[in-house]
Amino acid sequence: MLPPPRSQHQYAVYLCYYAHSNMQIQFVEDKQEFSRFPTKAGRRSLSRSISQSSTDSYSSAASYTDSSDDETSPRDKTQLNSKGTSDFCVKNIKQAEFGRREIEIAEQDMSALISLRKRAQGEKPLAGAKIVGCTHITAQTAVLIETLVALGAQCRWTACNIYSTQNEVAAALSEIGVAVFAWKGESEDDFWWCIDKCVNMEGWQPNMILDDGGDLTHWVYKKYPNVFKKIRGIVEESVTGVHRLYQLSKAGKLCVPAMNVNDSVTKQKFDNLYCCRESILDGLKRTTDVMFGGKQVVVCGYGEVGKGCTAALKAMGSIVYVTEIDPICALQACMDGFRVVKLNEVIRQVDVIITCTGNKNVVTRDQLDRMKNGSIVCNMGHSNTEIDVASLRTPELTWERVRSQVDHVIWPDGKRVILLAEGRLLNLSCSTVPTFVLSITATTQALALIELYNAPEGRYKQDVYLLPKKMDEYVASLHLPTFDAHLTELSDEQAKYLGLNKNGPFKPNYYRYNHPSKIPLNDTQISDLCTIYLQWIPTATTYMFSLVQSS
């Protein structure tokens, strides 16, 4: 007997499941569903990890099972798939059939990735690639993993977040032979154990890394340095992970080429902006049933995620404030009609705080102490470092689990602050995200892996690179047929006038599509940019740039 569907996506999967098995749909009574909320022991297990790594992750609300369904740790079980192999560790391999239907539903809105799979699977561009991956394990990610396998790769996978795994999807992947080590509700120890099981396999050594958050890369770099030196390429999709890569590069310790997918246009402008514009409301509604109209909301950070969140909340009638450190982003917020403030200026009056900066301690204990009763605090960034959750684990404060991923933190005077997902990524912890947007990111990741794996020696040095502009445009073009969109073509005369190839790329690499770049530049890149600018600016300003270069 299955629990009631929690989303339209899961409802559709239920219909497919029951149609296949000719079973009569029976939903449990409300009181039975209520009994599935965590016990006191369950609460302790849910809150035992306060790691500042990406053990902060998400679990899809559409997941078939809760971690509370079976208290036995998957590490203590011996499971076999239908092929008789046991090289995996998931919650319950018997859920594979249901997970397969989840994947089939996701495929319907990921036509571009499926198109790439069909076009390239004959050539097998990833033949010989041994990819170890650490991402959110959802139906959408499964479509990416199966695409990589179809293109010739061998894959071993784990979750980048302790709440991010759809157990049934992990089972479906394990059933077809992908070595998956992940389940919803892992402890911190489980999290690192799963990563190690993916990497440390006798007779199998990875040569490519696909990471989300940098934990896998960090683990291989620290614990298996000889393996790390033989990696042919790293693909990273998060702000946190990219920051770690640039730190390694700056220190001269990055001995392999890496592709920064996070700052590709197709990731920034679609996954970060449009995905968050829709999923922020979904996550808040599912967890709190909050009415947005008239609520005072602070969004910390006005990058692409912040822009998506503020646009959605403004459209729902919320009074939105923005905090920013970057004057360019702050000016954008002002021009978009938002008041830019310091958090301390409005902390006593706001109803909701949303962090999306990628930084740490954006919301401190002192500020949490001053928030009013009933305020909501949540995070839309990758890591659980933005809200100082650790400071709330003190004897004078009481934690009360209200719903899955929803806690009341109660002060001695009775004040309650609603903390969502223990400060972890809200949309992927408490709801779902649009499949179509994930198709864009997944296609970008697949192309980045193909590019790094097949690049001739010398094309990429031991540094961090952006995806070539032509690939960004190709990813976008694959998704246009979904909207029956028709591109205008340049005439020969127009192309000559603009100095462009008729087939692209249509923008230079430094063009950011109105996104202020925050990518660290090396000395050569700075010099190149200055040379470009010097061709345009007045002589008086030339002197200023010469000072910048000399410094």
Side-chain angles (χ1 to χ4, degrees), residues 73-245:
S73 170
R75 292 169 63 173
D76 299 329
K77 299 178 183 178
T78 300
Q79 301 183 74
L80 298 175
N81 62 17
S82 61
K83 299 176 182 178
T85 62
S86 60
D87 185 22
F88 61 88
C89 188
V90 299
K91 191 70 175 179
N92 187 352
I93 190 64
K94 294 179 181 179
Q95 298 169 4
E97 186 178 359
F98 183 76
R100 177 52 49 191
R101 279 153 184 73
E102 290 264 14
I103 296 169
E104 289 170 354
I105 291 293
E107 287 178 340
Q108 296 178 23
D109 210 18
M110 301 182 79
S111 56
L113 186 59
I114 298 300
S115 174
L116 176 65
R117 181 193 298 181
K118 291 178 179 178
R119 292 185 190 186
Q121 65 181 357
E123 301 174 7
K124 301 291 184 189
L126 291 175
K130 296 181 178 180
I131 303 172
V132 59
C134 182
T135 66
H136 303 295
I137 298 181
T138 63
Q140 295 83 6
T141 308
V143 179
L144 168 62
I145 296 171
E146 293 184 349
T147 296
L148 299 178
V149 172
L151 300 187
Q154 297 177 32
C155 296
R156 298 177 68 83
W157 227 263
T158 187
C160 67
N161 204 301
I162 62 172
Y163 291 137
S164 67
T165 302
Q166 288 178 261
N167 288 331
E168 65 278 11
V169 171
L173 288 170
S174 301
E175 175 61 30
I176 65 169
V178 178
V180 176
F181 294 84
W183 59 93
K184 179 179 177 179
E186 300 167 4
S187 67
E188 183 181 353
D189 180 64
D190 292 333
F191 175 81
W192 295 111
W193 179 86
C194 287
I195 287 180
D196 194 70
K197 291 291 289 184
C198 276
V199 178
N200 186 19
M201 167 66 177
E202 186 177 354
W204 193 93
Q205 182 171 303
N207 54 26
M208 298 291 292
I209 292 176
L210 178 58
D211 210 353
D212 184 355
D215 287 321
L216 172 60
T217 301
H218 177 77
W219 185 261
V220 178
Y221 169 75
K222 286 290 188 180
K223 192 164 184 180
Y224 301 101
N226 291 331
V227 173
F228 190 76
K229 292 175 183 177
K230 296 178 182 179
I231 295 292
R232 294 176 62 170
I234 300 169
V235 175
E236 172 59 56
E237 73 155 306
S238 75
V239 173
T240 305
V242 166
H243 179 65
R244 287 177 165 186
L245 286 174

Side-chain angles (χ1 to χ4, degrees), residues 395-413:
E396 74 272 14
L397 300 182
T398 303
W399 284 60
E400 180 180 79
R401 176 53 55 95
V402 182
R403 297 175 175 174
S404 177
Q405 313 296 340
V406 182
D407 289 291
H408 278 167
V409 182
I410 307 171
W411 268 251
D413 62 358

Side-chain angles (χ1 to χ4, degrees), residues 336-403:
D336 288 336
F338 302 108
R339 185 182 167 201
V340 178
V341 299
K342 292 182 178 180
L343 185 56
N344 285 333
E345 295 172 1
V346 294
I347 191 66
R348 294 185 184 276
Q349 67 194 59
V350 295
D351 301 290
V352 183
I353 294 179
I354 302 168
T355 59
C356 42
T357 70
N359 205 339
K360 63 180 293 186
N361 295 335
V362 177
V363 181
T364 64
R365 171 61 189 271
D366 177 65
Q367 291 164 332
L368 291 164
D369 286 339
R370 288 185 284 150
M371 293 185 71
K372 66 182 183 182
N373 183 51
S375 300
I376 300 169
V377 185
C378 62
N379 170 47
M380 283 288 284
H382 179 83
S383 292
N384 61 342
T385 57
E386 302 204 30
I387 302 166
D388 188 8
V389 177
S391 69
L392 300 177
R393 307 279 186 182
T394 54
E396 74 272 14
L397 300 182
T398 303
W399 284 60
E400 180 180 79
R401 176 53 55 95
V402 182
R403 297 175 175 174

Side-chain angles (χ1 to χ4, degrees), residues 39 199 375 441 527:
T39 60
V199 178
S375 300
T441 300
S527 178

Side-chain angles (χ1 to χ4, degrees), residues 268-286:
Q268 282 284 345
K269 301 303 293 187
F270 298 95
D271 195 331
N272 291 16
L273 176 60
Y274 299 116
C275 173
C276 295
R277 191 175 69 181
E278 295 193 14
S279 60
I280 180 63
L281 302 180
D282 187 16
L284 285 169
K285 278 288 187 185
R286 291 198 199 197

